[in-house]
Amino acid sequence: MILPKLSLEDIEIKLLLEGVYQYYGHDFRNYAVSSLKRRIYSFMRLEGLENISALQEQLLHDGTSLERFLLSLTVNVTSMFRDPSFYLAFRNQVVPILRTYPFIRIWHAGCSTGEEVYSMAILLQEENLYHRCRIYATDTNEKVLQNAKSGIFPLKMMQEYTQLYLRAGGKRSFSEYYTAAYDHALFRASLRENIIFAQHNLATDSSFNEFNVIFCRNVLIYFNQVLQKRVHTLFYNSLCNFGILGLGRQESIRFTPYEKYYEEIAKGEKLYRRLN
């Protein structure tokens, strides 16, 4: 079998990602190539670098630029109650299942800046389940985790979030959950009581617990098939029997090795239940 010849650009990117992995331990080697290229070139423009070789030299000899590079590669587009029908389906279809458990472990993988983590905390409080939950919110990027831990979000987003919250089946006034301070909204400390924020890399790290629910929404679309398969294996092995897996709108378990081991519990909402 004759493999297609790599372009010089592809070779440079491959060497760059291998260097970052070998030296720093951050593994982007199996991220989707097209998206990765766009982000690398965007970062190079911001840094005033002319080519990928110059970027590699900077990253390997100037550790301070690594954090900026990591922020440019990781996608942190999120919002509270994103895809509200997903949360409504979770409230109606999954919450009754969770009520049967004495203690509930939830993993938000790739939690980014935490908006969806707080959304779930609010939902669980309203369903009187939060007091027996432990939510593990993880991301590969320490910077975004620090933002998530703060529970502080732009005040200008609250009007939009209020509408999403109501469409997700919210039962109270959304403004009860935060205090406005200048141009920011500080969410209630009680929402963070049962949340553990921690660094975890889906590309390299293993499972760290058994979970009743795993969310990984709008993350897998940035991985190639090799990494997607690895992550699906990780999630399957991390879910308890009849545990719940929630994916993003454009993601699916179809055509994965684990398709037959799940059943869809909310049609069209990418909520699946692991079969025994």
Side-chain angles (χ1 to χ4, degrees):
M1 179 180 177
I2 300 175
L3 296 175
K5 186 177 180 180
L6 293 175
S7 68
L8 180 60
E9 176 192 49
D10 290 334
I11 293 171
E12 286 187 317
I13 290 176
K14 191 172 182 179
L15 290 171
L16 169 70
L17 300 180
E18 186 66 32
V20 169
Y21 172 65
Q22 293 292 340
Y23 196 65
Y24 294 109
H26 296 284
D27 193 354
F28 294 95
R29 295 172 299 173
N30 285 310
Y31 276 52
V33 175
S34 58
S35 174
L36 200 59
K37 282 183 179 180
R38 287 196 303 271
R39 294 180 180 279
I40 287 173
Y41 281 112
S42 176
F43 180 76
M44 285 167 53
R45 286 193 296 271
L46 290 173
E47 297 286 312
L49 300 170
E50 294 186 0
N51 53 58
I52 296 172
S53 294
L55 172 59
Q56 181 179 17
E57 182 177 359
Q58 174 175 303
L59 290 176
L60 296 182
H61 293 89
D62 177 16
T64 61
S65 66
L66 178 69
E67 186 174 289
R68 299 193 302 275
F69 181 67
L70 294 179
L71 281 172
S72 72
L73 291 194
T74 53
V75 180
N76 299 306
V77 178
T78 185
S79 71
M80 298 197 77
F81 295 97
R82 185 181 189 181
D83 302 323
S85 60
F86 174 89
Y87 288 89
L88 187 60
F90 186 91
R91 194 186 290 265
N92 293 334
Q93 304 294 119
V94 178
V95 164
I97 298 172
L98 299 185
R99 292 195 193 283
T100 66
Y101 298 135
F103 189 76
I104 304 158
R105 285 187 294 271
I106 298 172
W107 180 14
H108 268 270
C111 71
S112 187
T113 45
E115 284 87 339
E116 293 193 67
V117 180
Y118 288 92
S119 301
M120 188 52 58
I122 289 170
L123 187 156
L124 293 167
Q125 275 199 358
E126 292 186 352
E127 297 299 331
N128 196 31
L129 283 174
Y130 188 66
H131 64 285
R132 49 189 166 110
C133 288
R134 179 76 74 244
I135 301 176
Y136 298 84
T138 67
D139 199 276
T140 187
N141 195 301
E142 184 61 35
K143 177 67 174 177
V144 298
L145 282 174
Q146 291 301 322
N147 292 339
K149 287 178 186 178
S150 72
I152 300 173
F153 303 106
L155 187 61
K156 65 182 180 181
M157 300 302 300
M158 293 306 113
Q159 185 174 354
E160 177 185 341
Y161 290 171
T162 297
Q163 295 305 313
L164 294 173
Y165 162 76
L166 293 173
R167 288 165 55 195
K171 297 181 177 181
R172 300 176 188 169
S173 170
F174 187 62
S175 60
E176 291 180 24
Y177 293 107
Y178 65 87
T179 301
Y182 300 101
D183 56 349
H184 288 89
L186 174 61
F187 276 76
R188 291 192 328 208
S190 61
L191 293 173
R192 294 192 294 276
E193 287 179 356
N194 294 343
I195 302 174
I196 297 173
F197 292 98
Q199 200 166 16
H200 183 277
N201 191 331
L202 291 171
T204 56
D205 295 337
S206 58
S207 180
F208 55 93
N209 214 324
E210 183 179 66
F211 299 95
N212 305 102
V213 180
I214 295 176
F215 296 111
C216 186
R217 308 190 67 237
N218 307 298
V219 176
L220 291 171
I221 53 174
Y222 298 105
F223 297 164
N224 68 13
Q225 290 185 341
V226 172
L227 187 49
Q228 286 182 14
K229 181 179 178 181
R230 181 194 194 278
V231 174
H232 275 296
T233 300
L234 176 64
F235 290 162
Y236 181 79
N237 291 334
S238 300
L239 275 174
C240 66
N241 287 335
F242 305 113
I244 305 299
L245 175 66
L247 301 177
R249 189 58 57 87
Q250 299 179 50
E251 298 162 338
S252 176
I253 58 167
R254 291 190 65 193
F255 309 116
T256 73
Y258 299 95
E259 180 178 0
K260 64 182 179 181
Y261 301 116
Y262 289 94
E263 63 177 354
E264 189 176 30
I265 60 172
K267 189 169 179 61
E269 296 301 337
K270 306 302 174 69
L271 279 166
Y272 306 95
R273 192 176 189 183
R274 183 190 191 274
L275 301 175
N276 188 357

